[in-house]
């Protein structure tokens, strides 16, 4: 399972990385570990951000760590906040 584009952008933005960053999965793994104290494997991160085209469901723990890294209490809150971030567009 790949995370939504919005969540991927939030992850990369907070870490100051892009998908073009060499070893983005390694750097993101290190940054998440430093901030949360939880370790997510490089391959897991690469799958989540879509660098590996492997269809597998991430563990709940993985999603919770991503959510906490992004400042949310849990994954449901992250989804809710991500949806509300995109729920309205201002018009001229």
């Amino acid at each position: 399972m790949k995370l939504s584009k919005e969540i991927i952008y939030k992850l990369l933005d907070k870490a100051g990385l892009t998908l073009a960053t060499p070893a983005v999965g390694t750097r993101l793994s290190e940054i998440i570990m430093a901030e949360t104290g939880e370790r997510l494997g490089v391959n897991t991160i690469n799958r989540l951000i879509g660098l590996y085209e492997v269809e597998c469901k991430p563990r709940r723990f993985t999603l919770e760590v991503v959510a906490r890294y992004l400042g949310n209490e849990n994954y449901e809150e992250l989804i809710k906040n991500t949806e509300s971030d995109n729920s309205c567009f201002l018009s001229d």
Side-chain angles (χ1 to χ4, degrees), residues 2 46-47 49-56:
K2 179 179 164 183
N46 286 335
R47 281 192 300 272
I49 63 176
L51 294 179
Y52 294 164
E53 294 297 325
V54 176
E55 227 10 80
C56 63

Side-chain angles (χ1 to χ4, degrees), residues 3-10 77-90:
L3 295 172
S4 72
K5 287 181 182 180
E6 292 84 5
I7 294 174
I8 293 170
Y9 293 143
K10 285 181 179 194
E77 182 179 291
L78 173 61
I79 296 299
K80 179 181 165 191
N81 290 338
T82 301
E83 288 172 355
S84 67
D85 288 348
N86 296 318
S87 65
C88 58
F89 296 91
L90 299 176

Side-chain angles (χ1 to χ4, degrees), residues 19-90:
L19 286 176
T21 304
V24 66
T26 301
R27 289 290 304 130
L28 198 48
S29 177
E30 292 166 352
I31 292 166
I32 290 172
M33 174 65 176
E35 186 159 324
T36 67
E38 302 288 352
R39 179 159 172 28
L40 295 182
V42 173
N43 290 332
T44 297
I45 290 175
N46 286 335
R47 281 192 300 272
L48 288 174
I49 63 176
L51 294 179
Y52 294 164
E53 294 297 325
V54 176
E55 227 10 80
C56 63
K57 188 174 179 181
R59 293 179 183 209
R60 185 71 187 180
F61 171 81
T62 301
L63 299 175
E64 296 296 328
V65 171
V66 167
R68 284 193 300 272
Y69 172 70
L70 292 174
N72 297 272
E73 184 119 356
N74 55 47
Y75 189 67
E76 285 78 22
E77 182 179 291
L78 173 61
I79 296 299
K80 179 181 165 191
N81 290 338
T82 301
E83 288 172 355
S84 67
D85 288 348
N86 296 318
S87 65
C88 58
F89 296 91
L90 299 176

